């Protein structure tokens, strides 16, 4: 079972074997910022007055906005994702190629085919016309190594005898499995099973047709990314009553785990050996836990008996290579300080710069600090400020507070106490460091506070929900007392405590989703995108369509440090299947570009067209861009303009003619 990453902030610091980077004269800690215009995020600048479906006011609704606290500038490759061009999380994303067969798609727990594999009558011999389909399925498996175990499930109708049906379904499943092995798929990844006629297709049977009837072969993903999925087979209750049970899978083991602790061992700080093996098997969470464990002496260097800095750095480097941005920042800190490797400030700086460019918030904050405290020619105040600004835009409290300190002192930027207070308040909304800055500076220039109400909301939330002593002190200095503040309800259940309790009782309930919204947008609660994603993900597992769509949105963005386009596509797919319009638009959008799935422009544009017909304005806008670029059909500027006008009429403001960035090529 995948181990949870508990107490993540503490774990990261433990992995690095250090406390947060010491602040320079400018005390680093983070949040608001819109670079070019120097505007504070609309969510916070308006003091809570916002359109609840578009909290940053850029016209891209929250359900579609990958940057919910930044304004869309309508430039770049993705002018509809809610992000300014330089914050586009998919700007550098790897694109998948076209699907080997347009009838083959990978869903969360199965590989779906738009046609049936055909066999000779009463035989297990695959018809020649179905061989390309089998080859396409095999190619999908070769392209997706994270699908570790696939069940090929054969089913029959009830026209034959029970014994004959059972035998034939096993033979046909085995025939498909052998054909896939011949095409290069490892035997270890495949299971063949036959379920006779016990599991008919409910509500989809067509008389005289095999395509949507009971004679079929299904492809069920049993294990993916080291997680055993539900359902654990392609059978049904009736099949189980006749002695057909889910196959017992061998322990979750790979070559990299040979010699590790038993298969049932959970990766935790107490079992670093298992974590090390999982880290080698490309499990980033395990790398982070292992790094923390060896730094904390759970697995010391056998030669010296001391914490193993070399092993810790190796695990962090591995996680960094696998795309974990926090690991890159922590590895850079270790290299900068000579822990686990010789001191190399330039290498550390380059590592931070690379991770920051890919959206690593912690790396951006560390980069800003390193450039600020460097000596001689290495010191670069302008680049330091830009790194702090980017960290703040990415909701890293150290970046916001450091940027605020720069504006307060006029170091590297024009002095601006009002701007500084906005940044301190934003940092307080994220974490404790900005609350301390507010406490320290509120007496110095109280007239500079542009929004006393905003600052007090942030301080009260920090004091009363998190017990932040700095925030409580700042409230007293500002002439109020903890407890005097009467906040608006956080969710439908009322207070933060009531919402938390309601969420525990009903993970997919309205109160739980409301709490996740509050944590995501920092409205009535301290802004905690990682916690919000956890709640949305839990709601998704409890069959909440919106939970799936929002969990996917956060996985696709860089807000939570756990970006995974493949999982995002799966969750969008689950949301769409459950009837969530945003999930359908996002699924089509990713498929249109080949992000996290095979590119299929025709299927994607059909899905967008269906949503546009139902009045989903942003779907019309995406379709307009596709028509202008010639995706899914030859380029058609006239149709693109008409679709853009349709998007505007449906209420999608960025497509309206009054928006200068909405103009499509003529």
């Amino acid at each position: 079972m995948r181990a949870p990453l508990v107490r993540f902030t503490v774990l990261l610091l433990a992995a690095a074997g250090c406390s947060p980077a010491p602040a320079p004269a400018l005390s680093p800690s983070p949040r608001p910022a819109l670079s070019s215009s120097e505007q504070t995020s609309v969510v916070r600048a308006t003091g809570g007055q916002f359109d609840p479906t578009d909290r940053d006011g850029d016209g891209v609704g929250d359900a579609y906005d990958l940057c919910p606290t930044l304004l869309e500038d309508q430039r770049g490759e993705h002018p509809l994702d809610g992000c300014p061009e330089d914050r586009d999380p998919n700007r550098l994303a790897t694109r998948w190629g076209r699907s080997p067969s347009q009838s083959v798609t990978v869903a969360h727990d199965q590989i779906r085919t738009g046609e049936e594999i055909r066999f000779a009558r009463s035989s297990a011999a695959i018809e020649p016309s179905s061989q390309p389909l089998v080859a396409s399925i095999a190619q999908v498996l070769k392209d997706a190594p994270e699908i570790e175990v696939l069940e090929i499930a054969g089913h029959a109708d009830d026209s034959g005898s029970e014994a004959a049906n059972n035998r034939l379904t096993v033979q046909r499943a085995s025939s498909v499995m052998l054909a896939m092995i011949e095409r290069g798929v490892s035997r270890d990844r495949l299971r063949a099973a036959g379920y006779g006629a016990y599991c008919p297709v409910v509500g989809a049977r067509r008389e005289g047709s095999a395509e949507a009837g009971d004679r079929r072969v299904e492809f069920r993903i049993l294990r993916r990314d080291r997680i055993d999925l539900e359902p654990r087979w392609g059978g049904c209750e009736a099949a189980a009553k006749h002695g057909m049970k889910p196959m017992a899978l061998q322990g979750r083991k790979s070559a990299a785990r040979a010699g590790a602790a038993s298969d049932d061992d959970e990766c935790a700080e107490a079992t670093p050996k298992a974590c090390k093996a999982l880290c080698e098997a490309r499990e980033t969470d395990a790398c982070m836990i292992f790094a923390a464990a060896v730094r904390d002496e759970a697995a010391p260097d056998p030669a010296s008996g001391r914490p193993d800095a070399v092993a810790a750095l190796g695990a962090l480097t591995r996680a960094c290579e696998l795309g974990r941005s926090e690991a890159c920042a922590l590895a850079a800190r270790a290299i900068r300080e000579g822990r686990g490797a010789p001191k190399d400030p330039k290498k550390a700086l380059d590592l931070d710069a690379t991770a920051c460019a890919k959206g690593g918030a912690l790396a951006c904050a560390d980069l800003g600090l390193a450039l600020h405290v460097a000596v001689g020619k290495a010191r670069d105040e302008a680049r330091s400020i830009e790194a702090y600004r980017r960290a703040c835009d990415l909701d890293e409290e150290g970046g916001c507070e450091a940027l605020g300190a720069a504006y307060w002192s006029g170091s590297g930027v024009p002095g601006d106490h009002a701007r500084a207070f906005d940044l301190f308040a934003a940092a307080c909304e994220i974490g404790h460091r900005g609350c301390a800055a507010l406490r320290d500076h509120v007496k110095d220039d109280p007239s500079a506070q542009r929004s006393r109400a905003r600052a007090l909301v942030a301080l009260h939330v920090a004091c009363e929900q998190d017990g932040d002593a700095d925030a409580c002190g700042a409230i007293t200095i500002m002439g109020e007392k903890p407890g005097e503040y009467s906040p608006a309800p956080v969710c439908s259940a009322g207070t933060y405590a009531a919402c938390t309790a309601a969420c525990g009782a009903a993970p997919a309930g309205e109160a739980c989703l409301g709490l996740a919204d509050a944590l995501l947008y920092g409205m009535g609660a301290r802004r905690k995108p990682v916690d919000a994603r956890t709640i949305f993900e839990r709601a998704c597992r409890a069959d909440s369509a919106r939970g799936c769509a929002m969990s996917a949105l956060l996985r696709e963005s860089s807000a939570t440090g756990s970006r995974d386009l493949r999982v995002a596509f799966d969750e969008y797919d689950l949301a769409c299947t459950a009837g969530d319009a945003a999930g359908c638009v996002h699924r089509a959008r990713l498929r249109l570009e080949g992000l996290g799935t095979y590119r299929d422009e025709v299927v994607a544009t059909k899905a967008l067209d269906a949503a546009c017909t139902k009045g989903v304005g942003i779907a019309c806008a995406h379709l307009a861009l596709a028509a202008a670029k010639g995706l899914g059909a030859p380029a058609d500027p006239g149709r693109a303009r008409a679709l853009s006008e349709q998007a505007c009429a449906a209420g999608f403001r960025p497509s309206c003619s009054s928006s200068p960035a909405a103009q499509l090529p003529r």
Side-chain angles (χ1 to χ4, degrees):
M1 158 174 134
R2 187 188 296 243
L5 208 54
V6 294
R7 304 185 312 280
F8 195 58
T9 303
V10 174
L11 174 63
L12 293 180
L13 296 174
C18 62
S19 57
L26 86 42
S27 96
S29 230
R31 174 104 211 132
L34 276 216
S35 39
S36 59
S37 63
E38 285 301 313
Q39 292 177 315
T40 304
S41 156
V42 175
V43 171
R44 296 173 174 79
T46 56
Q49 301 301 314
F50 54 84
D51 176 354
T53 65
D54 179 17
R55 295 166 209 253
D56 61 4
D58 62 1
V60 179
D62 291 344
Y64 303 93
D65 199 331
L66 293 177
C67 297
T69 62
L70 299 176
L71 300 182
E72 170 63 73
D73 59 8
Q74 296 185 306
R75 295 198 299 265
E77 187 179 0
H78 302 115
L80 305 175
D81 63 0
C83 300
E85 181 181 8
D86 62 345
R87 301 295 186 263
D88 177 0
N90 290 326
R91 183 165 50 98
L92 303 176
T94 301
R95 303 296 201 273
W96 289 42
R98 295 184 183 278
S99 172
S101 169
Q102 289 190 350
S103 66
V104 180
T105 58
V106 180
H108 175 66
D109 61 352
Q110 59 186 297
I111 295 177
R112 295 174 179 162
T113 61
E115 57 185 289
E116 286 295 324
I117 295 176
R118 297 180 178 274
F119 300 88
R121 185 174 181 80
S122 301
S123 166
I126 301 172
E127 291 279 7
S129 62
S130 288
Q131 291 294 345
L133 177 59
V134 174
S136 294
I137 298 168
Q139 185 62 47
V140 166
L141 279 176
K142 289 191 285 186
D143 289 342
E146 66 271 20
I147 299 175
E148 297 175 21
V149 182
L150 181 78
E151 181 190 75
I152 303 166
H155 297 275
D157 60 22
D158 56 6
S159 60
S161 70
E162 183 176 9
N165 283 336
N166 294 351
R167 181 173 59 253
L168 186 59
T169 55
V170 171
Q171 291 173 345
R172 286 181 169 176
S174 298
S175 179
V176 173
M177 181 177 72
L178 291 173
M180 293 173 69
I181 292 171
E182 290 174 357
R183 288 168 172 80
V185 179
S186 169
R187 171 67 179 80
D188 293 339
R189 300 173 65 192
L190 302 173
R191 305 286 186 274
Y195 297 106
Y198 301 125
C199 306
V201 177
V202 178
R205 197 169 178 177
R206 293 204 304 253
E207 193 65 33
S209 171
E211 278 81 6
D214 299 334
R215 299 193 303 273
R216 67 194 189 280
V217 175
E218 295 181 340
F219 300 89
R220 298 282 180 174
I221 300 172
L222 305 186
R223 179 176 295 160
R224 182 173 183 168
D225 284 324
R226 309 193 66 79
I227 300 295
D228 291 345
L229 304 183
E230 296 289 347
R232 296 178 293 117
W233 66 327
C236 60
E237 185 177 349
K241 288 179 179 178
H242 286 80
M244 300 173 179
K245 303 287 186 181
M247 295 183 191
L249 298 181
Q250 295 179 353
R252 296 188 296 276
K253 191 179 233 180
S254 69
R257 294 195 68 192
S262 69
D263 296 331
D264 294 329
D265 278 348
E266 181 175 339
C267 171
E269 292 180 63
T271 57
K273 191 175 182 182
C275 293
K276 180 181 181 182
L278 285 172
C279 177
E280 292 170 352
R282 301 177 65 82
E283 173 58 73
T284 59
D285 283 0
C287 293
M288 303 301 289
I289 295 172
F290 176 68
V294 294
R295 282 298 305 174
D296 288 344
E297 304 186 48
D301 179 1
S304 65
R306 294 192 297 272
D308 194 342
V310 174
L313 178 58
L316 291 171
T317 302
R318 174 76 166 163
C320 176
E321 292 169 348
L322 293 172
R324 194 64 167 263
S325 63
E326 315 97 299
C328 300
L330 294 170
R333 287 183 183 180
I335 293 169
R336 187 175 289 115
E337 297 168 13
R339 290 180 287 104
K343 284 187 178 182
D344 191 337
K346 185 180 184 306
K347 182 177 180 181
L349 200 69
D350 290 344
L351 189 56
D352 273 333
T354 300
C356 178
K358 293 180 179 179
L362 187 61
C364 292
D366 281 1
L367 177 64
L369 177 59
L371 292 167
H372 176 74
V373 301
V375 296
K377 293 182 179 180
R379 191 170 189 275
D380 190 333
E381 196 67 31
R383 193 176 164 206
S384 170
I385 292 296
E386 181 52 36
Y388 282 138
R389 194 187 311 282
R390 182 163 173 76
C392 185
D393 285 351
L394 294 169
D395 290 324
E396 210 290 314
E397 61 168 311
C400 289
E401 195 239 348
L403 190 59
Y407 277 104
W408 187 269
S409 64
S411 175
V413 291
D416 186 340
H417 285 190
R419 174 68 172 155
F421 269 127
D422 282 343
L423 287 155
F424 293 149
C428 183
E429 289 167 347
I430 303 168
H432 71 282
R433 297 175 70 172
C435 302
L438 282 173
R439 180 201 62 196
D440 293 341
H441 293 298
V442 72
K443 283 186 174 180
D444 297 340
D445 190 0
S447 64
Q449 294 183 68
R450 279 193 288 220
S451 178
R452 174 184 169 86
R454 175 189 173 190
L456 283 171
V457 168
L459 290 168
H460 275 290
V461 166
C463 174
E464 291 154 22
Q465 292 179 11
D466 288 357
D468 189 314
D470 291 329
C472 295
I475 289 170
T476 302
I477 291 172
M478 293 178 74
E480 293 197 2
K481 295 179 181 178
E484 289 183 347
Y485 168 66
S486 298
V490 173
C491 74
S492 59
T495 66
Y496 182 82
C499 292
T500 302
C503 193
E510 181 183 349
C512 203
L513 294 173
L515 176 60
D517 284 337
L519 293 169
L520 175 59
Y521 301 110
M523 308 311 298
R526 180 166 283 187
R527 184 161 153 70
K528 297 179 180 178
V530 174
D531 290 355
R533 194 202 73 210
T534 299
I535 294 173
F536 283 130
E537 187 177 5
R538 192 183 304 126
C540 180
R541 291 198 298 267
D543 299 326
S544 164
R546 183 169 182 269
C548 291
M550 291 303 295
S551 176
L553 191 72
L554 292 177
R555 285 191 182 279
E556 185 182 355
S557 73
S558 56
T560 63
S562 184
R563 190 163 186 268
D564 191 327
L565 285 171
R566 164 69 79 143
V567 175
F569 181 84
D570 281 353
E571 290 179 334
Y572 286 140
D573 183 65
L574 289 171
C576 181
T577 302
D580 185 88
C584 294
V585 172
H586 286 303
R587 182 181 68 174
R589 174 178 57 80
L590 293 185
R591 184 172 280 154
L592 190 66
E593 293 192 67
L595 294 171
T597 187
Y598 286 108
R599 187 170 74 251
D600 194 330
E601 297 167 4
V602 174
V603 169
T605 51
K606 284 182 179 178
L608 290 171
D609 188 46
C612 178
T613 301
K614 294 177 181 178
V616 181
I618 194 170
C620 302
H622 280 295
L623 205 56
L625 288 177
K629 295 177 180 178
L631 301 178
D636 187 340
R639 183 166 185 261
R641 288 193 296 274
L643 284 165
S644 187
E645 291 170 1
Q646 189 174 346
C648 177
F652 187 65
R653 289 188 290 108
S655 290
C656 297
S657 57
S658 58
S659 173
Q663 303 303 314
L664 290 165
R666 300 270 173 182

